[in-house]
Amino acid sequence: MSKSISLVAAMLLAAGPVFAQDAAKSVGVEPHKAPSGASVFIVSPKDGETTGQEFTVKFGAKGIAIRPAGDPTPGTGHHHLLIDVAELPPAGAPIPNDATHKHYGKGQTEATITLPPGDHTLQLEFADLAHVPFDSPIVSKKITVHVK
């Protein structure tokens, strides 16, 4: 891995999303190509399921290895959970880290989340060592859960 990419990865892990986006652009980080056949999916809950306010979301991946953020191994990455997000984050920039874009940069394959009552959408997006989505994005089907 080049020194500039190592530096960007370190900055992205330590900085907020706005600074991370500027850092990635300043050294010309290009999105990694998605491995052929790679996919991600939500194992549970199922689309249309009713849940309590606190519930566990289990993540699945096929054709791509899960590694922590900052791991430079080619063809690997980690999950991000998009909650009630209408559009995917912009290509070529790190996925924001906020209440609707949850990062699982330690390589987690599940998370317990809490949502208010009502209908909510969930979708996974897989990203590289620097939280940048792959070129072609690796995203799950968007599901809806009914929180009681």
Side-chain angles (χ1 to χ4, degrees), residues 55-97:
F55 60 98
T56 299
V57 181
K58 294 185 180 183
F59 317 144
K62 181 179 174 188
I64 192 161
I66 299 168
R67 297 284 187 275
D71 185 321
T73 307
T76 67
H78 60 281
H79 292 287
H80 297 79
L81 180 62
L82 311 181
I83 303 170
D84 297 328
V85 173
E87 295 182 24
L88 292 175
I95 296 171
N97 188 7

Side-chain angles (χ1 to χ4, degrees), residues 10-145:
M11 290 188 304
L12 293 173
L13 292 173
V18 172
F19 178 77
Q21 291 172 0
D22 291 342
K25 289 176 187 174
S26 71
V27 294
V29 173
E30 294 293 324
H32 292 93
K33 293 285 183 196
S36 179
S39 64
V40 294
F41 49 93
I42 296 173
V43 176
S44 67
K46 298 295 184 198
D47 189 27
E49 188 171 324
T50 298
T51 70
Q53 291 183 36
E54 182 177 278
F55 60 98
T56 299
V57 181
K58 294 185 180 183
F59 317 144
K62 181 179 174 188
I64 192 161
I66 299 168
R67 297 284 187 275
D71 185 321
T73 307
T76 67
H78 60 281
H79 292 287
H80 297 79
L81 180 62
L82 311 181
I83 303 170
D84 297 328
V85 173
E87 295 182 24
L88 292 175
I95 296 171
N97 188 7
D98 57 32
T100 60
H101 301 83
K102 300 290 189 179
H103 286 231
Y104 297 98
K106 293 179 182 176
Q108 301 98 309
T109 57
E110 66 178 52
T112 299
I113 64 171
T114 303
L115 294 175
D119 290 346
H120 297 279
T121 62
L122 304 175
Q123 186 173 29
L124 291 174
E125 183 161 21
F126 209 72
D128 69 11
L129 76 161
H131 305 285
V132 176
F134 284 85
D135 175 22
S136 303
I138 303 171
V139 296
S140 72
K141 174 186 171 215
K142 187 180 287 190
I143 69 164
T144 299
V145 292

